Amino acid sequence: MSKEVSSVEYGLEKIFEGAQDFLPLLGTDYVEFYVGNAKQSAHFYKTAFGFQDFAYRGLETGSRDQVSYVLKQDKIKIVLTTPLNSKSPINEHIVKHGDGVKVIALWVENARSAWEETTKRGAKSFMEPTVEKDEFGEVIRSGIYTYGETVHVFVERKNYQGTFLPGFVANKTDYNPSPVGLKYIDHMVGNVGWGEMNTWVKWYEEVMGFENFLSFDDTQIHTEYSALMSKVMSNGNGRIKFPINEPAKAAKKSQIEEYLDFYEGSGVQHIAVATDNIVETVSQLKARGVEFLPPPPQAYYDDIPNRLGKHMSMMKENIADLQKLSILVDADEEGYLLQIFTKPVEDRPTLFFEIIQRMGAKGFGAGNFKALFESIEREQEKRGTL
Ligand code: FE2
């Protein structure tokens, strides 16, 4: 793979000059899920998705009311947290939403100023700047609410040498399935309620200094039955990208509406994780039991040379391999991208994952929206929620 199109390099350039820098973000720090049974979730993310043991906090480390398993794969850290008694407020989150993403933690140089700058611009505080210490140094964290009950936690770790955070111990067990090549979080998408997309676009602009760099309306994102609208927000250096979706009126129920019904409110819809070799990564995920959306029809694959146009000559993947694995392909001016979506990873049709390989393209697969949403609708039909 040439350097110009390496997906790992993407995102580190300053591409959005208009965005403000009162909130410099170094990257995603971790994503914390509130789940009903963290021990079993950790087994699933290790076995199925190739995450590795990293850190732990629980009864054995003196945490009496909650337990967390931290797993890692390349730059991605996920935290799986479960309450240890009925009094923990985490229970309310799980009862209402089911398993889902509570915290999108952002790595910052200065967690105090991140909290001050965002709360003074109207953010509701989740956690005042708090210093946590152990023998490896100190971490300062602060946090604000975003859509629904989801929060952003700012993590300042420049004076910390420990594994994860004070209170956690490094964790290593004898069960270590191999990684599958997931590298970093490319983007995380939020679903918000009817008519709320622009409210949250404005919130990310005003409170976080983000910029809206791509928009899709319901004339672009629709099928025969359903529709949605989406705007992509990015921070100044392009490392953090949060598309925001809202449902739109159509003949049948939008997938966004289905999410809102089952999550009982706004929340994280999908986490897109990047790989450098999607054919290998998806082959492994399938062998390990990860379920993906069903493939688009034959005509979709026949049309790939048209879709890729001038980028067809640089395409390294074999179309038959992509079709065998149901991987989707899209292109923009700068290159192409390969992507695929899992089925929801819990019983409520809420959170799912996207696997993406960028070969120069900076978009989100708009050319695939129709094929993708038709696949989702076939699944909705089975669930009786279309
Ligand atoms: Fe996506």
Side-chain angles (χ1 to χ4, degrees), residues 186-189 243 269-272 339 341 352 354 356 364 369:
D186 184 276
H187 59 276
M188 293 186 68
V189 180
Q269 179 210 37
H270 75 266
I271 303 173
Q339 62 185 169
F341 298 83
F352 59 89
E354 171 183 353
I356 184 167
F364 293 82
F369 286 166

Side-chain angles (χ1 to χ4, degrees), residues 22-25 106-131 140-146 151-156 203 206-208:
F22 61 80
L23 182 61
L25 300 175
L106 302 167
W107 177 29
V108 296
E109 223 8 70
N110 187 329
R112 280 197 181 88
S113 96
W115 185 85
E116 280 157 15
E117 293 293 335
T118 51
T119 52
K120 106 178 165 204
R121 287 171 170 81
K124 181 181 160 201
S125 177
F126 168 70
M127 175 187 192
E128 287 189 16
T130 306
V131 182
I140 305 174
R141 291 193 301 158
S142 62
I144 59 173
Y145 280 92
T146 172
V151 301
H152 290 310
V153 166
F154 301 115
V155 184
E156 174 186 333
W203 187 89
E206 290 176 358
V207 171
M208 305 269 292

Side-chain angles (χ1 to χ4, degrees), residues 275-292:
T275 169
D276 278 344
N277 186 343
I278 197 166
V279 170
E280 181 57 30
T281 295
V282 172
S283 299
Q284 291 208 28
L285 290 169
K286 286 197 170 172
R288 291 161 175 234
V290 175
E291 294 183 308
F292 291 91

Side-chain angles (χ1 to χ4, degrees), residues 116-184:
E116 280 157 15
E117 293 293 335
T118 51
T119 52
K120 106 178 165 204
R121 287 171 170 81
K124 181 181 160 201
S125 177
F126 168 70
M127 175 187 192
E128 287 189 16
T130 306
V131 182
E132 297 158 305
K133 291 184 188 183
D134 66 11
E135 71 262 43
F136 302 107
E138 67 172 44
V139 171
I140 305 174
R141 291 193 301 158
S142 62
I144 59 173
Y145 280 92
T146 172
Y147 48 78
E149 292 193 277
T150 316
V151 301
H152 290 310
V153 166
F154 301 115
V155 184
E156 174 186 333
R157 51 170 73 256
K158 59 177 180 278
N159 296 315
Y160 193 64
Q161 312 300 328
T163 304
F164 181 56
L165 291 174
F168 285 78
V169 293
N171 189 34
K172 191 81 191 154
T173 67
D174 292 335
Y175 180 60
N176 300 294
S178 58
V180 299
L182 302 178
K183 299 265 180 194
Y184 62 90

